[in-house]
Amino acid sequence: MALTVDLLNRADEAQFSEGLRGTYEHSPWVVERTYAARPFVTLAALKRAMVEVVRNATADEQLALIRAHPQLAGRAMQAATLTRESTDEQSRAGLTQCTPDELARIARLNADYDARFGFPFILAVRGPRGLGLSKAEIFATFARRLGHLPHFERAEALRNIHRIAEIRLDEKLAFSPVLGDRVWDWAEQLARHSDDGYGERGELTVTYLTNAHRAVAGQLAAWMRDECGFDEVSIDAVGNVVAVYHGGDRDVPRLLTGSHYDTVRNGGKYDGRLGVLVPMAAVRELARAGRRLPFGIEVVGFAEEEGQRYRATFLGSSALTGRFDGRWLDQADANGITMRDAMARAQLRVDDIAQLRRDPARYLAFIEVHIEQGPVLTEADIPLGIVTSINGSLRYAGEIVGMASHAGTTPMNGRHDAAAAAAEAVLHVEKRASQVPGVVGTVGMLDVPNGSINVVPGRCRFSLDIRAPEDRARDACAVDVLDAMQRICARRGVHLSIQETMRASAAPCDDAWRARWERAVAALGVPVHRLPSGAGHDAMKLHEVMPQAMLFVRGQNGGISHNPLESITNDDADLAVRAFAGLVDALAAERR
Amino acid sequence: MALTVDLLNRADEAQFSEGLRGTYEHSPWVVERTYAARPFVTLAALKRAMVEVVRNATADEQLALIRAHPQLAGRAMQAATLTRESTDEQSRAGLTQCTPDELARIARLNADYDARFGFPFILAVRGPRGLGLSKAEIFATFARRLGHLPHFERAEALRNIHRIAEIRLDEKLAFSPVLGDRVWDWAEQLARHSDDGYGERGELTVTYLTNAHRAVAGQLAAWMRDECGFDEVSIDAVGNVVAVYHGGDRDVPRLLTGSHYDTVRNGGKYDGRLGVLVPMAAVRELARAGRRLPFGIEVVGFAEEEGQRYRATFLGSSALTGRFDGRWLDQADANGITMRDAMARAQLRVDDIAQLRRDPARYLAFIEVHIEQGPVLTEADIPLGIVTSINGSLRYAGEIVGMASHAGTTPMNGRHDAAAAAAEAVLHVEKRASQVPGVVGTVGMLDVPNGSINVVPGRCRFSLDIRAPEDRARDACAVDVLDAMQRICARRGVHLSIQETMRASAAPCDDAWRARWERAVAALGVPVHRLPSGAGHDAMKLHEVMPQAMLFVRGQNGGISHNPLESITNDDADLAVRAFAGLVDALAAERR
C-alpha cells in the first residue's frame, strides 16, 4: 500500500520511522524527531517539518548528518556504507559508470574538498528536475563549490541534503510534481532561443525584438493557444504576449498577471518567465476541467523589462499603464538601430501603442510570480515568499577629493586621505542600513583612480545604492548617510561631491491581495514568509494604476540571479502553480 | 645706519618696532610681540621668533593678518591701503602694468577666491628666489590654489605671509642669501637639461645615461672643477660625478657626501641634486679661502637612484658599497636597450665597476642633504630638519574575496561584502599606524574590479605600505595589521589573500653624526626639528658600510615632490649650505 500523508499522520512511532526510513542518509534521528510535529497538512508540510528538525539540531548533529553521506563516486571503502537510495541516485547521474580518468578526477576533487571543508562533497545529483545531472554539470558544480567560503558551503551541503530528502519523499509518497515539471520544461524549451552569438557561447540572452525574442513570444503564444486553452491570444503593439481566459461572463472584471520574457545578457531562465509560465500552467488546469470563474484571467508576457537593448526599461508594462514615452522610440541600440526601426522590422504598429492602456476599472488587480533573485528563501529553506513591498531605491555617484601625498613622508596626522574617508563612509552606509529591517545600502563601486602603492590617495570614487520597502525609510537612510559622509569629510579635511542619479518610489503590495497570497501559501502547508523585493518588477509599474501583490519562488545556488546559475526546482515550481491556483480558487469563492 | 640683529637685540621697544615696522602688513602686533623674544642669535632666529608669534596668535588674529593684505593687482579701492613694500613687490612681478584683459582675469580670480575662502589671495610674488614671479606663474598659482581645501589654503596664505616678511627682513637687514642663491641658480641651470620629448613639454625628466643625463654630469663636473676648486673631478664607471677636496694631508680620511642627479619623470629640480649642490657651495667657500681641513671632502653626484629607466634602483650608491649586481647589466629599458649597451654608448667601462667600491676605513661617514619631499617642515614653518632614520618599509598586495550578490535583494545580515571588509581594513591600518609616532601605513590602491552600482562587491583589491624608523616598529605594525585583517575577514565570512612584495630595512642615522647636524642647525638659530625620512635615499645604501646622517631642507608648496611644483627658497638653501659648512667647521675643530 502506498504511503500517504494521511497514513503517516495516523501511524505510531515505529510505523512512522519505518515508513520514512532512509529519507535522511544514515540519520534516523531526523525522522524520529519529526514524529512529534504531526499532523502534517500536506507533503510540503512534512518536508518542512523535517527541515526544521535539521535546522534545530546542534551544529555537531548537522555535521554528523553531512558526514553520514558517501563521497561522490567514492572508492570501494565506501561501498559498504552506500544506501540503496544513494546508489540509485549516483547511478542515475552516470557516476557508477565512470572512466578511470573521471574517477581519478573525482578522487582529486573529493580530496581537495575534504581538505578544505572537512566533510564530503554533497550534491543532489538528481538535480532541480529530478532526472539526474550530467557528469559535466556535476564536475562544474564540484569545482565551483570548492571555491565557496566554509560556512556557506556547509549550508549548501545541508540544502542539498534537504533536496535529496525531498526527492526520496516524493518517491516514497508516490508524488510527482507534474505542474512544476511542466513549468520547468517550458522554461527549458524557451531557453533554447538566445540572441545571435550568445546562444553559441552557451549563454542565455534575449533582448528586445531580436530574432530570439520574437521566437520566444511566438512559442509562448502557441503554448497559450494550443496547450493551455486561453480564449484569446495575441501579440500587441510593443511585443507583449497577451492571453485571456474569460470568466463565466465575458464582461466580468479580469485578474491581470504576468511578467517579462526578455532577459539580461548571460542571464537565467526564470527571471521574468516564471511569472508567465506559472499562470499558464494554472489556467491549463482550469481549461482542462472546463471551469469558468466569476472573473477573467489575463496573462501578459511583457516584452521588455530589463533595459538591455535600449536605455529605457519596463517598456512592456509601461504600455499597459499608458506611460509609454514616445521619445523612447528614437533611442538607438549599440548598432544604431532605433527602437522605432526595430519595431517596424518586427511588424509592430507604433501608432497602436496608446491603445494598449488598460482601464483599471476592468481589472481586479495585478499579481506577479517571480523568482526571488536573492538568498532569503533559500537560507530559510522555504520554497515560497510573500512580497510585502517592492523597495524604493535611490542611487548616487560620489567622489571624495583629498590631497595626494607621499606615503612615506606624510605623517599620519598630516594626511587628507580620500580612500580612508571613503572607507569610513562605506562602513557608515553598512551600519546605518543595518539598523532598520528591510533597508539595504550598498557601495558597489569603489576605486582610487590611478592609485599608487606609495601615494596617499588624493581621490576616491564610489557609488551608493539605498533601498527600502517604504520611501520614507529609504529617504531617512539617505539623509543620514549623506549627513554622515559630509561630517566624515569635514573632519578629515577632504571634499565630498555626490550626485543623485536615480530615484524610484517604493510600491507596497496591496494588503488585501497580499493576504490572499498568504492564505494560498498557508493552505499548501508552507510557512508564510514575508519579505520585501529588493529588485524592481513589472508590478512596480502596474502599481501606478491598480492594486498589486507578488509571490516569490526560492532560487537555488544561494539565490543567484542575472547569471546562468539561476535555478529553481520542479517541486518549488509545483508549489508556485498550486499557490496561484489556490489564490484563484479562493477568489472565485469570495466573488460568488 | 644699517639695521643689524645686534642693534635689534640692544634696541628699546619703540626702536625695535620702528626698525621692523611693515614686516608684517598692517599688523604691528607681530613685531611688538616679537620684542619679548630677544635676544636673537641670528637673523634666522629673528625670523623664527616672528613666525612663532603668528603661530601662537588666535585664529581671529591670524585671519586679520591675512585680511590686512591687499588683493593682488586690486582696484583703486585698495590703493589707499597699499604699503610701499607691497606696491614694490607687486610692481616687481609686473602686476602694476597689467593689460585690461589681465586685470579682468585677476579681478575674476580675486572674486572667486574671496567667495571660496573669505580672504584675499596672498602670494609672495617675489617668489622663492626673491626676483619676482612671472605673470604666467602667478596666474597658474592662483588657479591651482583656488582648488585647495580651505584649512590648507589658510595655512598656505600664512606661509606666503612669512615668506613676504622674510624677504622684507632680508632687505631691512641688508642680508643677501648669496650661498643659497648660488645653489638655487645652479639647480635652475641643471633643469634646462631634460630627456628628449620631456623638455619640449616643459617637464623635467633625466633618466640614467640619456643625453640630458650626460649633460648634467658634464655640467656638474665643470662647475666642481672650474668654480668650486675641487682637487680631483671625474666621472666614474657607472656615471657618478666624483669630486675630491683634499685635506691638509692627502691621506687623511674623507667625509663622503652627495646625492643623486637623475630625476623621476616630470619631477622636481631639487630631489637629489640639492645634496650635490650644497656641498659644492660649501667647498667653494673653503677653496676660495684657501682652507684645508684635517679630512678630505668627497662629493658624489650619484648617477642613478630613482629606478626610472631600468628596474634596478640605487645604481650609483650600490657601486660605492660593492653591491652593484652584474645581472642588472642585462636589464633592458622600454626601447630594448640593455644597461650594458647604454653604458657602452656613454663610454663607461663596465669592467671597472668593481673597483668603485670604497674602503670604509678611509671614510669618516656619509652625510646627505636632501629636500624633505613631505609636509612636515613646511607645516612647522622650520627650514631645516634632522633625519633620525631612513624608514624601513614593507609592501603588500592584497585581495579580499567575498560573495557578489544583488544589492537590492541581499539583506544586510546576509552579505559577504569584500569592499566593506576592505574599508574596515583601511581604517585599521590608519588607526594602528597613528598609534606609534613615526610609523606610517597607507592603502594607496583600492578597487572593486568590475564593480556595479547594484551589486554587493564580491572582490576588492588593495595595496598596503607600512614604514617606520625602526624595523621592529614596522614589523610590529605589519603583524598587527595583518592579524586584524584576518580577524575582520573571518568575522565577515570573506577570504583574505595578501602577499609581501617589498621589504627594506630601516637605516637609523648614526647618533654622533646626527648630533653634529643638530649642533650645526642650532648654531644657525634654527629650531632643531627631528623627523624620520619616509622615502629611501642614497644614504640608505651607504648605511650598509659606514655611519650616515641626513639633513632635510623644507619644500615649498606643501612639501610636494616628484612633481614640477617641488620648490625651495634661496633663504632655505642658504641655511642648508651654512649648516653643512658649520658641521664641517665643527668637525675640523674636533679632529685638530
Side-chain angles (χ1 to χ4, degrees):
Chain A
M1 189 172 99
L3 201 60
T4 65
V5 172
D6 221 41
L7 279 176
L8 285 169
N9 282 337
R10 286 183 282 126
D12 66 20
E13 195 159 352
Q15 291 169 328
F16 188 84
S17 291
E18 177 55 28
L20 296 178
R21 193 156 59 87
T23 307
Y24 281 82
E25 190 86 357
H26 293 303
S27 304
W29 55 271
V30 180
V31 173
E32 284 157 25
R33 291 184 201 171
T34 304
Y35 184 72
R38 290 175 318 152
F40 311 105
V41 294
T42 59
L43 172 56
L46 168 61
K47 290 175 182 174
R48 174 65 195 176
M50 299 184 94
V51 164
E52 275 176 10
V53 164
V54 175
R55 288 177 70 90
N56 292 331
T58 65
D60 281 345
E61 287 171 330
Q62 291 177 350
L63 199 55
L65 171 61
I66 296 173
R67 291 194 174 133
H69 285 71
Q71 277 196 340
L72 211 62
R75 298 303 178 87
M77 54 170 292
Q78 256 115 17
T81 69
L82 278 181
T83 57
R84 182 183 53 75
E85 287 87 350
S86 69
T87 306
D88 176 54
E89 288 151 4
Q90 299 211 9
S91 105
R92 281 187 190 233
L95 290 175
T96 46
Q97 290 129 31
C98 284
T99 65
D101 273 3
E102 286 168 343
L103 281 173
R105 190 166 160 208
I106 292 179
R108 207 163 45 242
L109 286 166
N110 274 327
D112 289 350
Y113 188 95
D114 190 65
R116 175 150 162 76
F117 300 113
F119 51 79
F121 173 66
I122 298 174
L123 177 62
V125 288
R126 290 202 33 198
R129 175 66 167 81
L131 297 175
L133 297 172
S134 70
K135 277 187 211 168
E137 286 172 310
I138 291 169
F139 280 124
T141 306
F142 210 147
R144 177 168 56 80
R145 283 176 47 189
L146 255 172
H148 280 166
L149 297 166
H151 75 282
F152 179 86
E153 183 55 20
R154 206 158 85 159
E156 191 70 3
L158 289 171
R159 285 194 283 266
N160 273 276
I161 287 171
H162 292 314
R163 175 62 182 158
I164 292 169
E166 169 162 73
I167 295 173
R168 292 180 182 176
L169 280 172
D170 286 351
E171 297 209 333
K172 280 181 197 295
L173 279 84
F175 170 73
S176 207
V178 287
L179 299 173
D181 285 346
R182 182 166 308 280
V183 165
W184 207 96
D185 294 345
W186 275 337
E188 206 67 12
Q189 282 179 261
L190 287 185
R192 291 179 191 162
H193 304 286
S194 186
D195 287 357
D196 289 349
Y198 291 94
E200 292 84 73
R201 296 208 293 271
E203 297 177 1
L204 174 61
T205 300
V206 177
T207 60
Y208 191 45
L209 298 184
T210 60
N211 291 335
H213 186 267
R214 304 321 300 138
V216 169
Q219 178 65 80
L220 282 172
W223 285 334
M224 287 164 161
R225 199 169 37 230
D226 305 336
E227 288 200 29
C228 301
F230 282 93
D231 301 306
E232 296 174 14
V233 178
S234 62
I235 293 180
D236 75 14
V238 296
N240 296 330
V241 185
V242 181
V244 182
Y245 185 70
H246 287 299
D249 176 342
R250 284 202 162 214
D251 295 330
V252 291
R254 295 173 183 171
L255 177 62
L256 190 62
T257 186
S259 190
H260 60 97
Y261 65 84
D262 67 325
T263 75
V264 296
R265 294 194 163 77
N266 198 19
K269 298 168 186 168
Y270 307 97
D271 175 4
R273 294 162 178 201
L274 186 64
V276 188
L277 303 176
V278 163
M280 280 166 57
V283 167
R284 182 173 179 274
E285 297 304 305
L286 290 174
R288 281 158 61 102
R291 281 184 62 198
R292 291 288 169 179
L293 306 168
F295 50 88
I297 298 179
E298 180 172 334
V299 181
V300 184
F302 292 108
E304 207 286 336
E305 188 253 28
E306 299 282 9
Q308 298 287 307
R309 182 168 178 185
Y310 298 98
R311 264 171 298 130
T313 56
F314 294 99
L315 297 181
S317 42
S318 295
L320 267 65
T321 61
R323 309 273 166 91
F324 188 96
D325 187 334
R327 287 171 298 187
W328 294 341
L329 296 168
D330 299 317
Q331 290 187 0
D333 70 5
N335 295 319
I337 300 169
T338 63
M339 193 187 294
R340 190 186 305 277
D341 285 348
M343 285 177 152
R345 288 183 201 187
Q347 297 181 294
L348 301 183
R349 295 164 50 93
V350 167
D351 294 344
D352 293 349
I353 294 177
Q355 297 166 32
L356 302 183
R357 180 176 190 159
R358 299 298 194 269
D359 174 6
R362 301 201 50 216
Y363 291 87
L364 299 173
F366 178 74
I367 61 175
E368 181 173 359
V369 177
H370 207 282
I371 185 168
E372 181 200 337
Q373 302 185 274
V376 175
L377 293 174
T378 190
E379 285 179 2
D381 292 315
I382 294 178
L384 302 174
I386 292 92
V387 177
T388 52
S389 175
I390 304 167
N391 283 358
S393 64
L394 268 173
R395 290 184 182 173
Y396 298 88
E399 181 175 49
I400 294 174
V401 176
M403 176 114 35
S405 58
H406 195 299
T409 59
T410 318
M412 297 309 292
N413 63 8
R415 297 180 171 212
H416 303 285
D417 184 332
E424 228 183 298
V426 166
L427 294 178
H428 186 85
V429 169
E430 190 185 45
K431 185 175 151 202
R432 174 59 178 78
S434 299
Q435 283 165 0
V436 182
V439 175
V440 287
T442 306
V443 174
M445 300 163 81
L446 179 69
D447 144 62
V448 174
N450 302 314
S452 293
I453 197 165
N454 61 345
V455 176
V456 178
R459 282 172 66 211
C460 191
R461 296 181 300 205
F462 62 96
S463 66
L464 173 62
D465 178 306
I466 296 174
R467 311 196 196 191
E470 297 106 35
D471 290 348
R472 218 170 46 183
R474 173 201 68 180
D475 294 342
C477 181
V479 165
D480 283 359
V481 163
L482 266 55
D483 269 9
M485 284 187 181
Q486 291 291 4
R487 276 199 312 277
I488 289 164
C489 290
R491 173 165 42 74
R492 288 177 169 272
V494 298
H495 180 74
L496 171 70
S497 59
I498 187 159
Q499 279 84 40
E500 184 182 309
T501 57
M502 202 263 266
R503 174 180 289 262
S505 287
C509 295
D510 180 82
D511 282 342
W513 286 93
R514 189 172 54 124
R516 289 187 180 94
W517 274 128
E518 291 181 8
R519 287 193 296 271
V521 166
L524 294 172
V526 171
V528 170
H529 191 95
R530 301 179 185 95
L531 74 170
S533 168
H537 295 293
D538 290 299
M540 206 167 82
K541 288 286 146 188
L542 276 305
H543 179 85
E544 295 165 7
V545 295
M546 64 181 77
Q548 56 80 19
M550 291 188 72
L551 179 75
F552 271 173
V553 180
R554 165 170 62 182
Q556 301 295 302
N557 296 325
I560 195 165
S561 184
H562 287 188
N563 189 297
L565 290 172
E566 184 188 87
S567 176
I568 61 170
T569 66
N570 56 348
D571 283 275
D572 288 358
D574 200 79
L575 288 169
V577 177
R578 289 172 194 276
F580 188 92
L583 180 146
V584 163
D585 282 350
L587 185 62
E590 268 183 57
R591 296 186 69 84
R592 240 181 274 276
Chain B
M1 190 172 100
L3 201 58
T4 64
V5 171
D6 221 41
L7 280 175
L8 286 168
N9 282 338
R10 285 183 283 124
D12 65 21
E13 196 160 351
Q15 292 168 327
F16 187 85
S17 291
E18 177 54 29
L20 296 178
R21 191 157 59 88
T23 307
Y24 281 82
E25 191 86 358
H26 295 302
S27 305
W29 57 271
V30 180
V31 172
E32 285 158 23
R33 291 183 200 172
T34 305
Y35 184 72
R38 290 176 317 153
F40 312 105
V41 294
T42 59
L43 173 55
L46 168 61
K47 290 174 182 174
R48 174 64 196 176
M50 299 184 94
V51 164
E52 275 177 9
V53 164
V54 175
R55 289 177 71 92
N56 292 331
T58 65
D60 282 345
E61 288 171 331
Q62 292 178 350
L63 200 55
L65 172 61
I66 296 173
R67 292 193 172 131
H69 286 71
Q71 276 195 341
L72 212 62
R75 299 302 178 87
M77 56 170 292
Q78 256 116 18
T81 68
L82 278 181
T83 58
R84 182 183 55 74
E85 287 87 349
S86 69
T87 306
D88 174 55
E89 288 152 3
Q90 298 211 8
S91 105
R92 283 186 190 233
L95 291 175
T96 48
Q97 290 128 33
C98 283
T99 65
D101 273 4
E102 287 169 342
L103 281 173
R105 191 166 159 209
I106 291 179
R108 206 162 47 241
L109 285 167
N110 274 326
D112 289 351
Y113 188 95
D114 190 65
R116 174 151 163 75
F117 300 112
F119 51 79
F121 173 66
I122 298 174
L123 177 63
V125 288
R126 291 200 36 197
R129 175 65 166 83
L131 297 175
L133 298 172
S134 69
K135 279 186 209 167
E137 287 172 309
I138 291 169
F139 279 125
T141 306
F142 210 148
R144 177 169 55 81
R145 283 176 46 190
L146 256 172
H148 280 166
L149 297 165
H151 75 281
F152 180 84
E153 183 55 17
R154 207 159 85 159
E156 191 70 2
L158 289 171
R159 285 194 282 267
N160 273 275
I161 287 170
H162 292 314
R163 175 61 182 160
I164 292 168
E166 169 163 73
I167 294 172
R168 291 179 183 178
L169 280 172
D170 285 351
E171 296 209 334
K172 278 181 198 295
L173 278 86
F175 169 74
S176 207
V178 288
L179 298 173
D181 286 347
R182 182 166 307 280
V183 166
W184 207 96
D185 294 346
W186 276 337
E188 206 67 12
Q189 284 180 260
L190 287 186
R192 291 179 190 162
H193 305 286
S194 187
D195 287 356
D196 290 349
Y198 291 93
E200 293 83 73
R201 295 208 295 269
E203 297 177 0
L204 174 60
T205 300
V206 177
T207 60
Y208 191 47
L209 298 183
T210 60
N211 291 336
H213 186 267
R214 304 319 301 138
V216 169
Q219 179 64 79
L220 283 172
W223 285 333
M224 287 165 162
R225 199 169 36 229
D226 306 336
E227 289 198 31
C228 300
F230 282 93
D231 301 306
E232 296 174 14
V233 178
S234 61
I235 294 181
D236 74 15
V238 296
N240 296 330
V241 185
V242 182
V244 182
Y245 185 70
H246 287 299
D249 176 343
R250 286 200 159 213
D251 294 330
V252 290
R254 296 172 183 171
L255 177 62
L256 191 62
T257 187
S259 191
H260 61 97
Y261 65 87
D262 68 324
T263 75
V264 296
R265 295 193 162 78
N266 198 20
K269 298 167 186 168
Y270 307 98
D271 175 5
R273 294 163 179 201
L274 187 64
V276 188
L277 303 176
V278 164
M280 280 165 57
V283 167
R284 182 173 180 273
E285 296 305 303
L286 290 174
R288 280 158 61 102
R291 282 183 65 197
R292 291 289 169 177
L293 307 168
F295 51 87
I297 298 178
E298 181 173 333
V299 181
V300 183
F302 292 108
E304 207 285 340
E305 189 254 27
E306 299 281 10
Q308 299 286 308
R309 183 168 178 186
Y310 298 98
R311 264 172 297 129
T313 57
F314 295 98
L315 297 181
S317 42
S318 295
L320 267 64
T321 61
R323 310 272 167 92
F324 188 98
D325 187 334
R327 288 171 297 187
W328 294 341
L329 296 167
D330 299 317
Q331 290 187 358
D333 69 6
N335 296 318
I337 300 170
T338 63
M339 193 186 295
R340 191 187 303 279
D341 285 348
M343 285 179 152
R345 289 183 202 186
Q347 297 181 293
L348 301 182
R349 295 165 51 92
V350 166
D351 294 343
D352 293 348
I353 294 176
Q355 298 165 31
L356 302 183
R357 180 176 191 159
R358 299 298 194 269
D359 174 6
R362 302 202 49 215
Y363 291 87
L364 298 174
F366 178 75
I367 61 174
E368 182 173 359
V369 177
H370 207 282
I371 185 168
E372 181 200 335
Q373 303 185 274
V376 175
L377 294 174
T378 190
E379 286 179 1
D381 292 315
I382 294 177
L384 303 174
I386 292 90
V387 177
T388 51
S389 176
I390 304 167
N391 284 357
S393 64
L394 268 174
R395 290 184 180 173
Y396 297 88
E399 182 176 48
I400 294 174
V401 177
M403 177 114 36
S405 58
H406 195 298
T409 58
T410 318
M412 297 310 290
N413 62 8
R415 295 180 172 212
H416 302 285
D417 184 331
E424 227 183 298
V426 166
L427 294 178
H428 186 85
V429 170
E430 190 184 44
K431 185 173 152 204
R432 175 58 179 80
S434 300
Q435 283 165 1
V436 182
V439 174
V440 288
T442 306
V443 175
M445 301 163 80
L446 179 68
D447 146 61
V448 174
N450 302 315
S452 292
I453 197 165
N454 61 345
V455 176
V456 178
R459 280 172 67 210
C460 191
R461 294 181 301 204
F462 62 95
S463 66
L464 173 62
D465 178 306
I466 295 174
R467 309 194 197 193
E470 297 105 37
D471 290 347
R472 216 169 48 183
R474 173 201 68 182
D475 294 343
C477 181
V479 165
D480 283 359
V481 163
L482 266 54
D483 269 10
M485 285 186 180
Q486 291 290 6
R487 275 200 312 278
I488 289 164
C489 290
R491 173 166 41 74
R492 288 176 169 273
V494 298
H495 180 73
L496 170 71
S497 59
I498 188 159
Q499 280 84 39
E500 185 182 308
T501 57
M502 202 262 268
R503 174 180 289 261
S505 287
C509 295
D510 180 82
D511 282 341
W513 286 93
R514 188 171 55 120
R516 289 188 180 96
W517 274 127
E518 292 182 7
R519 287 193 295 269
V521 167
L524 294 171
V526 171
V528 170
H529 192 96
R530 301 179 186 93
L531 75 171
S533 167
H537 295 294
D538 291 299
M540 207 166 82
K541 288 286 147 188
L542 275 306
H543 180 85
E544 295 165 6
V545 295
M546 64 180 78
Q548 56 80 18
M550 291 188 71
L551 179 75
F552 271 173
V553 180
R554 164 171 61 183
Q556 302 295 302
N557 296 324
I560 195 166
S561 184
H562 287 188
N563 190 297
L565 291 172
E566 184 187 87
S567 175
I568 61 169
T569 66
N570 55 350
D571 284 274
D572 287 358
D574 201 79
L575 289 169
V577 177
R578 288 172 195 276
F580 187 93
L583 180 146
V584 164
D585 282 350
L587 185 62
E590 268 184 57
R591 296 187 67 84
R592 240 181 275 276

